[in-house]
Amino acid sequence: MCGIIGYTGHRPAVPLILEGLHRLEYRGYDSSGVCFVQNKELNVVRAKGKLTALEEKLAGMEISLATTGIGHTRWATHGEPNESNAHPHKSFAGNLSLVHNGIIENYQETKKELLAKGIQFFSDTDSEVLVNAVANELRPGVPLLEAFAAALRKSTGAYAVALLSPDEPNTIYAARHSAPLLLGVGMGENFVASDIPAFLPYTKDVVFLEDGEIVRITPTTWEVFSLATLAPVAKKAQRIQWDMQAAEKGGFRHFMLKEIFEQPSVITNCTASRIQGGSVNVPELAQKPVPSRLRIVACGTSFHAGMWAQPLFEEWAGIPTTVEIASEFRYRNPILEKGEAVLVISQSGETADTLAALRIAREKGCLVLGLCNVVGSSIAREADTVVYTQAGPEISVASTKALCSQMVVLLLMALHWGKAKGTLAPEIMQQAVAGLATLPGQLEETLPNLQTEAKNLAWRFAACKGMLFMGRGQAYPLALEGALKVKELSYIHAEGYASGEMKHGPIALIEPDFPSFILAPHDALFPKNKSNLEEVQARRGPVIALTNPPKPGFELNATHLWIIPEAWGPLGGFLQLAALQMLSYETACHLGNDVDQPRNLAKSVTVE
Ligand code: M6R
């Protein structure tokens, strides 16, 4: 999604804004731009493509005097990704400039009205309509704050916006509705941005804005108002714990690789405050009743986390659990029973479909639990109870450590509820706690080997047209995740399948240059996976079996055995997951793809 940063302070604004935009690159974009105020004039510079194109344009310009400005990375929604559709957009009269993330749904109607008044447009965007709508409200004697609010009240849809006027050269106005926007509070400087990393080198004091709030910042002041009434809203800045290292690559070639390698410490962080005295306690769940049924709703990788955890809620806590894709759930009037809780899972906490599902569940009177990574995100704020995954900032578009953290916390939640209900066998608690204590070390030791093996496999299979990933039980959602990762990073078509479903269709794909990755850990389903593997080999398809060190009764004969250490019960999934993540990473590197910002994708999908 688009990235926004606004700065007003004592430093040269343009280099700082460019640096902030680089930190927001992970959100995905296809054009960018800045507007800075210099000599009481608005200067807009925009470019198609990567930020380097914008930097080249700015290189020869006099920008050093500007200490206030706004910047934007655009992920095209209305109109193709070209320079005229790039932000910032100026009003027709040239007296306002605006950057926008989101979609103004009623912009066509507003555009008609403005055209009738002689306003001309130079882009296909809803955002240019919005800046002109603000200008249209700006009559003599009407303060800009009021004009801005009036235009926003008439707009429907989603927005995070920042606005500049040369008449108030050190002031930025901003507002949000269903799109992320934060305020960063510094010493003699203030910021607005889509995400914390944009201003993290300068301040850790953050004000989380709510929908329906509008802000005004100058270098030394920040004020928040209600959009509806313009009454001041009392807010406090919170000091966040992130450090710069968490938002930097730290010597790794890509954020994705760094984030894969962070998973051992993510597991430690997620369990630290939730395991004490050999038992699990998730404090966030303590004040809420144990649900009689659980409905998990999420998108993409977060959906796979829910699928992975489903059997744990059923087996350990005796809670009937279903898992649904948020974009389906929101449009099918689901029946939710009394006592049923809806658990929405989202790394970003801003995914539009997941947020809509949450709102439906609330309307239906359900207890809504949120499992989020981003503190203060929309889902975190709107859920009745939020459990944070504590994975730290995930910058790469491909979700890796976030999934790892979701799996850990979901497993802890199942143990917590199982204990609360008395359905959990004490030895499961003991084994889980012991296993979680050794898992980070085991994973840390294994990760370098996984990378070496993944690199070899990438060399061997990166040229293939398609791949099949198969698993059973809890390995099935991991097979789906393996296929999703290969698709999004390598652009190779990949299918994730339940191994038992293979003979119902996908077996027709098998041929000598079509690799099948089969997840065959040493569990009760091993013999079943073994038969599936043999079926593929009988049709001369290469099989890569992701399995545990050989032992009697668990022999496998595959084209390639990818041996990973064995771990207790569901914990083996963390090693399988890391192997699949490495495979997709190395395949994408081998193909020379943009690993951290794969084509057409955005980190947080805040529009439908
Ligand atoms: O922020 P969320 O967890 O709600 O995001 C959901 C999906 O958009 C996300 O997991 C997506 O599938 C990733 N790109 C997968 O790597």
Side-chain angles (χ1 to χ4, degrees):
M1 281 310 99
C2 308
I4 289 177
I5 175 166
Y7 173 78
T8 178
H10 48 82
R11 301 172 205 262
V14 178
L16 187 147
I17 288 169
L18 288 169
E19 182 194 354
L21 291 178
H22 274 294
R23 290 178 199 285
L24 296 175
E25 273 188 302
Y26 72 89
R27 299 169 71 79
Y29 70 105
D30 35 48
S31 60
S32 62
V34 292
C35 177
F36 53 95
V37 193
Q38 199 159 258
N39 303 326
K40 290 207 165 190
E41 266 178 27
L42 295 176
N43 300 271
V44 171
V45 183
R46 305 179 293 184
K48 183 184 171 181
K50 291 286 174 191
L51 279 168
T52 43
L54 179 66
E55 283 162 339
E56 273 166 26
K57 280 193 163 184
L58 284 161
M61 295 178 68
E62 177 47 56
I63 52 168
S64 58
L65 296 178
T67 53
T68 298
I70 51 179
H72 190 265
T73 45
R74 173 174 187 255
W75 194 76
T77 51
H78 290 92
E80 63 176 270
N82 57 25
E83 191 178 320
S84 50
N85 287 333
H87 299 214
H89 289 286
K90 264 189 174 180
S91 58
F92 180 52
N95 57 340
L96 293 174
S97 171
L98 168 143
V99 287
H100 167 220
N101 169 22
I103 292 177
I104 304 297
E105 285 163 1
N106 61 341
Y107 82 105
Q108 293 285 18
E109 293 91 307
T110 314
K111 192 171 183 173
K112 254 188 227 157
E113 287 167 25
L114 294 171
L115 280 167
K117 291 184 175 179
I119 306 294
Q120 288 175 31
F121 292 89
F122 305 96
S123 78
D124 308 319
T125 65
D126 50 345
S127 314
E128 192 189 9
V129 176
L130 182 58
V131 70
N132 279 294
V134 181
N136 185 47
E137 301 286 344
L138 198 57
R139 291 177 199 104
V142 177
L144 183 50
L145 181 70
E146 269 177 37
F148 187 30
L152 291 175
R153 283 186 213 119
K154 290 179 188 165
S155 305
T156 59
Y159 56 77
V161 270
L163 180 79
L164 272 185
S165 159
D167 297 335
E168 299 178 55
N170 295 321
T171 305
I172 297 175
Y173 291 86
R176 64 158 281 172
H177 181 77
S178 298
L181 195 73
L182 308 147
L183 215 153
V185 179
M187 292 283 283
E189 57 188 349
N190 287 312
F191 305 78
V192 286
S194 307
D195 200 358
I196 294 169
F199 53 69
L200 196 55
Y202 304 99
T203 182
K204 287 185 183 177
D205 292 332
V206 178
V207 179
F208 293 99
L209 300 172
E210 306 286 336
D211 281 358
E213 288 180 347
I214 185 165
V215 302
R216 177 166 58 196
I217 60 169
T218 68
T220 50
T221 60
W222 58 271
E223 299 157 284
V224 181
F225 308 92
S226 149
L227 175 67
T229 62
L230 289 186
V233 180
K235 308 277 285 189
K236 270 196 181 147
Q238 295 177 32
R239 174 134 316 169
I240 50 115
Q241 299 306 318
W242 293 9
D243 55 18
M244 269 314 295
Q245 215 194 335
E248 301 278 5
K249 284 188 198 146
F252 285 90
R253 192 170 156 211
H254 296 104
F255 280 112
M256 181 182 178
L257 189 61
K258 172 178 173 257
E259 288 160 5
I260 292 173
F261 271 96
E262 280 172 352
Q263 291 178 121
S265 55
V266 164
I267 297 171
T268 307
N269 292 344
C270 291
T271 49
S273 60
R274 293 169 177 140
I275 299 183
Q276 275 129 21
S279 188
V280 168
N281 177 38
V282 181
E284 300 91 330
L285 302 180
Q287 303 307 320
K288 301 286 174 197
V290 180
S292 57
R293 296 185 77 89
L294 188 62
R295 188 81 60 117
I296 301 179
V297 186
C299 300
T301 291
S302 296
F303 169 73
H304 297 154
M307 281 182 77
W308 180 85
Q310 180 198 36
L312 305 181
F313 288 115
E314 298 204 327
E315 284 166 30
W316 293 350
I319 302 173
T321 302
T322 45
V323 191
E324 287 195 53
I325 293 170
S327 55
E328 292 295 317
F329 177 89
R330 66 180 290 192
Y331 290 117
R332 68 170 193 83
N333 195 15
I335 297 169
L336 295 163
E337 290 177 9
K338 196 166 179 282
E340 184 163 0
V342 172
L343 168 60
V344 292
I345 307 176
S346 175
Q347 186 287 127
S348 61
E350 301 292 349
T351 301
D353 286 321
T354 313
L355 188 56
L358 174 153
R359 289 175 180 157
I360 289 168
R362 288 201 69 166
E363 270 164 31
K364 288 180 181 271
C366 281
L367 172 69
V368 178
L369 307 167
L371 182 61
C372 292
N373 192 39
V374 176
V375 176
S377 56
S378 301
I379 290 176
R381 283 181 288 110
E382 291 192 32
D384 296 310
T385 298
V386 59
V387 182
Y388 283 116
T389 45
Q390 290 160 318
E394 189 179 66
I395 305 292
S396 179
V397 166
S399 186
T400 53
K401 65 172 179 172
L403 172 57
C404 170
S405 67
Q406 289 163 349
M407 286 162 55
V408 177
V409 178
L410 289 166
L411 182 141
L412 295 176
M413 288 170 71
L415 290 169
H416 175 103
W417 279 330
K419 186 177 83 170
K421 276 182 75 177
T423 49
L424 185 77
E427 58 274 20
I428 299 283
M429 181 66 91
Q430 281 160 19
Q431 286 165 329
V433 168
L436 283 167
T438 52
L439 184 63
Q442 195 180 23
L443 186 56
E444 192 163 278
E445 212 180 295
T446 312
L447 278 165
N449 303 335
L450 293 181
Q451 190 176 9
T452 309
E453 187 78 84
K455 209 174 265 178
N456 293 337
L457 289 167
W459 274 93
R460 212 155 139 195
F461 295 112
C464 69
K465 281 204 214 80
M467 292 182 183
L468 187 60
F469 289 83
M470 284 178 282
R472 285 173 183 263
Q474 281 189 291
Y476 167 44
L478 298 179
L480 293 177
E481 175 64 10
L484 172 61
K485 281 285 160 294
V486 164
K487 274 186 279 228
E488 71 175 329
L489 294 166
S490 311
Y491 321 140
I492 296 174
H493 178 70
E495 292 263 12
Y497 247 85
S499 309
E501 276 288 295
M502 202 191 50
K503 56 189 165 299
H504 299 289
I507 199 164
L509 295 168
I510 305 301
E511 52 181 2
D513 59 358
F514 182 82
S516 298
F517 291 79
I518 184 153
L519 280 69
H522 291 180
D523 60 14
L525 297 168
F526 180 86
K528 303 283 172 200
N529 279 317
K530 189 174 174 180
S531 319
N532 296 129
L533 183 155
E534 284 162 4
E535 282 160 11
V536 177
Q537 286 204 316
R539 285 152 186 89
R540 301 185 43 239
V543 178
I544 303 90
L546 191 57
T547 187
N548 302 129
K551 64 180 180 194
F554 290 93
E555 291 83 10
L556 269 185
N557 181 18
T559 322
H560 185 89
L561 289 179
W562 189 354
I563 308 288
I564 57 171
E566 209 168 334
W568 173 76
L571 302 187
F574 291 87
L575 295 146
Q576 295 157 26
L577 173 66
L580 297 171
Q581 292 167 340
M582 281 294 191
L583 176 74
S584 61
Y585 171 77
E586 288 297 339
T587 309
C589 288
H590 182 86
L591 294 169
N593 293 351
D594 188 344
V595 173
D596 285 330
Q597 292 156 43
R599 70 184 183 201
N600 305 338
L601 283 170
K603 180 67 183 164
S604 75
V605 185
T606 52
V607 290
E608 263 194 80

